[in-house]
Structure formats: structure tokens, C-alpha cells
Amino acid sequence: MMNDPLDKEQSELYRARQRSRNKVLGAVLISLAVLFFAISIVKIAAQAGGTH
Amino acid sequence: MDSVRTLTLPAEWRDFFALTKPRVMTLVIFTGLCGLLAAPGSIHPVIAFTAILCIAVGAGGAAALNQWWEADIDAGMKRTAQRPLPAGRMERTSARDFGFALAGGSVMVMGLGVGWLAAAILAVSIFYYSWIYTVWLKPRTPQNIVIGGGAGAFPPMIGWVAVTGDVTLMPVLLFLIIFMWTPPHFWALALFVQTDYAKVGIPMMPVVAGERSTRRQILIYALLLLPLTLVPWWIGGTGAIYGWSALVLGLVFVALSFKVGLRQSAPDDAMKPEKRLFAYSILYLFVLFGMLVGDRLATVQGWQ
């Protein structure tokens, strides 16, 4: 019983939950990418500033 | 005949967030930030943000691992029965993997983005909380939160080290202050929720050594905490703004601890002095560390 294919309403709930999670995960990953980019800029600038 | 099916949905992102114990994380972020701001030297805002983020995420990972490990115990206590795992909203392996991912990720990013000493201390603090406290000490000894309190004492040290790159007496003092603060803070709570802990067999001081001993120890720690918070001032690590604030805040803490230390609870006691001490202990830490930052600001500005 537990492994019957889901009916339409249950599928919708499942997908909605997945979408919500995916959105949050997407936001987190993009934020991390931006952060790593910013850190790189700061560190490269510090290096460049140091050698002049 | 319709069959009733239970649908197991994937856990909500909100439950993953709840695993990180957001309210504890707020205090961790705050004390970490204070350590960072009060440290002598300069740090780029982006790097500072990264350091605080890593401290927060590291604490969140440790908290998630704690909830994973203690899911059964949490199910037996009123205060914690609605957490994601005891309430059945999430699979245990999800919590475990999430905890490890946050813990590992935060240490890596701290190391690469900020510095490896800060990353190492962060790693130690995560291990300290999730293993030494949660797995080893908590079920074994009523001194559990005394030693385990060390975990919450790391953030200001990590924040400080993120700026200076080394460990000196000042960050160690900040560590010791929180270390000494934790027992009266926690035991005040334990006094008014002791039945919850007793039910699940966790050795908390009021259950193991009795109320009177616990009350006495709360007072002793409060009396020791006061001079400890003044040492930064005495050694010249801070100015008078912090010094006087620590003195006043500490005296109130001692006064409230006297009230708790010298009374006995009656049957059906409302436990008001204990609740007041617990609430004050949170305010105390916020204001004390806030004053630490304010003091550094004043020094930098030349006001003292």
C-alpha cells in the first residue's frame, strides 16, 4: 500500500515540498558562490596591494 | 473500501533550519561578533562576515548532530518533544548527514577564507559539543554542562583569532568568562525543568546532587564569575567602560544568585527567582559582550 503510485493530490504535495526545498537550496548555493567570489576579490586585492 | 495511505513527504527546509537550534545560534553569532569587533587589529568586512557565518554554520552543524544523537531523549522531554526528529518530521539519516555537512563545510570555508587557526579552533569546538559533551559527558555526569559549557565559550575566541591570527590572554579570558557563566545559567533552568530531565535519565545536578547543592553551586559560580569578568580591565585589555559595566552587571547577577542560592523550593513552587535568574543570565551575557565592543569602540575613538 505504501508503495502504490501517488494520486494527484499527493503528487502535488510532494512536488510542492521538493520545489520549496530546491528554492532554498538554490538560494544558499548562489549566495555561497557570491561569497566565494567576494572573498577571492578581497584576497587578490590584498595580494596586489602588498606587492606595490 | 478506501484505504488510508500515509504520505511521507521529504522534510521541509524549515525543519532542517530548526535542527540548527536558531536561538542558540543567535547567541553564538553575537558573542563571536563581539570577539571579532573587540579584537585589536583590522579585518576586511567580507572576511569578517565569512568568519561569523562559519561560526554560525559550525554551531548549527554541531546542534544538528546533537539533535540527531539525542532524538530518543528529546522525545521523552516536554521541552523538546516537538523537535523535527522526535516529532517524526524528518529521517534520522537526513539530520546526521546535514549535521556533518554543515560541520565540515564551515571548517573548510573558515580555513580557506579566513585562516587555519580560526578553522582549527572551530573544528575543536564542533567536536567538543557534538562528541565530548553530547555523546560522552552528558549522559554520564552532572558536571556535563560545566565542561560542555566550554563549547559555547569558543565563539568569541574564534572571532578574536579571526582578526589577530593568534591566541593571547584576552581571548582566553573571554572563553573563561562564558565557561564560568554556563553553570549558573544552565542550572537555573534545570531547577525549574528538572522533572523533564529526570524522566529521561539525564544526570542534571538538581536530580543527582539535590536542589540545595545545586543552589549553592549556582551562587559559588556567580561569585567567581564577577572577579573573572573584571580581569580584562585589570590587565589593561579593556577600558573603564567595560570595567564598570562588568561590575554592575556582575553585582546584579550575584544578587539574583543569592536569592536562588539561599532559598528552598516548596511544593507547587512557581520558581520565580530561578526563572528570573535564567532570564537575566541571557541578558547579562548580551550586555556584557556588547559593552566589550562599545569599550573597544570608545578606545579607538579616543574617548577613554
Side-chain angles (χ1 to χ4, degrees), chain B residues 268-300:
Chain B
D268 290 329
D269 202 307
M271 299 299 250
K272 279 218 167 70
E274 292 72 20
K275 290 180 180 158
R276 190 169 301 134
L277 178 60
F278 180 69
Y280 179 75
S281 69
I282 298 170
L283 181 74
Y284 171 88
L285 203 68
F286 266 103
V287 177
L288 186 74
F289 275 75
M291 283 303 176
L292 189 71
V293 176
D295 180 274
R296 169 73 59 188
L297 198 72
T299 304
V300 163

Side-chain angles (χ1 to χ4, degrees), chain B residues 95-112:
Chain B
R96 177 199 64 193
D97 297 343
F98 181 67
F100 277 118
L102 290 191
S106 63
V107 171
M108 281 309 295
V109 173
M110 180 73 99
L112 292 168

Side-chain angles (χ1 to χ4, degrees), chain B residues 74-137:
Chain B
D74 285 347
M77 291 206 297
K78 209 166 35 157
R79 187 174 62 92
T80 55
Q82 282 314 305
R83 287 178 173 176
L85 289 175
R89 297 196 298 276
M90 182 188 296
E91 281 174 35
R92 305 236 173 152
T93 48
S94 299
R96 177 199 64 193
D97 297 343
F98 181 67
F100 277 118
L102 290 191
S106 63
V107 171
M108 281 309 295
V109 173
M110 180 73 99
L112 292 168
V114 181
W116 288 105
L117 181 60
I121 302 174
L122 179 65
V124 167
S125 75
I126 294 170
F127 179 72
Y128 194 100
Y129 183 71
S130 54
W131 178 265
I132 297 180
Y133 169 65
T134 300
V135 176
W136 187 39
L137 287 175

Side-chain angles (χ1 to χ4, degrees), chain B:
Chain B
M1 194 162 97
D2 283 328
S3 51
V4 176
R5 286 203 43 224
T6 46
L7 173 64
T8 326
L9 291 171
E12 266 199 89
W13 67 265
R14 280 177 196 81
D15 281 327
F16 280 99
F17 184 64
L19 274 185
T20 65
K21 296 192 192 176
R23 283 188 314 189
V24 174
M25 226 204 283
T26 319
L27 199 57
V28 163
I29 291 174
F30 180 76
T31 51
L33 185 61
C34 287
L36 185 144
L37 292 172
S42 64
I43 184 172
H44 192 281
V46 168
I47 308 298
F49 174 80
T50 307
I52 301 303
L53 181 70
C54 290
I55 294 173
V57 172
L65 289 172
N66 166 277
Q67 291 205 31
W68 164 61
W69 190 262
E70 298 194 327
D72 293 324
I73 295 172
D74 285 347
M77 291 206 297
K78 209 166 35 157
R79 187 174 62 92
T80 55
Q82 282 314 305
R83 287 178 173 176
L85 289 175
R89 297 196 298 276
M90 182 188 296
E91 281 174 35
R92 305 236 173 152
T93 48
S94 299
R96 177 199 64 193
D97 297 343
F98 181 67
F100 277 118
L102 290 191
S106 63
V107 171
M108 281 309 295
V109 173
M110 180 73 99
L112 292 168
V114 181
W116 288 105
L117 181 60
I121 302 174
L122 179 65
V124 167
S125 75
I126 294 170
F127 179 72
Y128 194 100
Y129 183 71
S130 54
W131 178 265
I132 297 180
Y133 169 65
T134 300
V135 176
W136 187 39
L137 287 175
K138 189 165 171 182
R140 271 180 185 71
T141 160
Q143 298 295 338
N144 48 20
I145 56 95
V146 176
I147 301 161
F154 281 106
M157 183 190 265
I158 302 172
W160 187 287
V161 169
V163 175
T164 65
D166 61 6
V167 179
T168 57
L169 184 56
M170 273 298 287
V172 171
L173 281 171
L174 298 185
F175 177 92
L176 288 174
I177 287 171
I178 297 188
F179 191 85
M180 204 62 83
W181 165 90
T182 303
H185 164 75
F186 232 108
W187 286 333
L189 171 73
L191 277 174
F192 61 87
V193 299
Q194 52 179 294
T195 44
D196 240 10
Y197 282 108
K199 217 176 358 136
V200 291
I202 294 284
M204 290 305 260
M205 195 61 77
V207 178
V208 172
E211 259 201 44
R212 195 135 61 120
S213 169
T214 309
R215 291 174 183 282
R216 214 180 20 234
Q217 292 185 69
I218 286 175
L219 182 54
I220 291 172
Y221 273 99
L223 288 167
L224 291 174
L225 179 62
L226 176 56
L228 182 64
T229 59
L230 298 176
V231 174
W233 186 18
W234 289 337
I235 64 166
T238 71
I241 290 178
Y242 167 81
W244 286 109
S245 307
L247 184 62
V248 170
L249 287 165
L251 286 171
V252 175
F253 199 106
V254 165
L256 291 176
S257 299
F258 260 109
K259 280 221 176 75
V260 171
L262 301 179
R263 80 186 281 265
Q264 281 292 119
S265 68
D268 290 329
D269 202 307
M271 299 299 250
K272 279 218 167 70
E274 292 72 20
K275 290 180 180 158
R276 190 169 301 134
L277 178 60
F278 180 69
Y280 179 75
S281 69
I282 298 170
L283 181 74
Y284 171 88
L285 203 68
F286 266 103
V287 177
L288 186 74
F289 275 75
M291 283 303 176
L292 189 71
V293 176
D295 180 274
R296 169 73 59 188
L297 198 72
T299 304
V300 163
Q301 299 281 9
W303 298 339
Q304 63 173 356

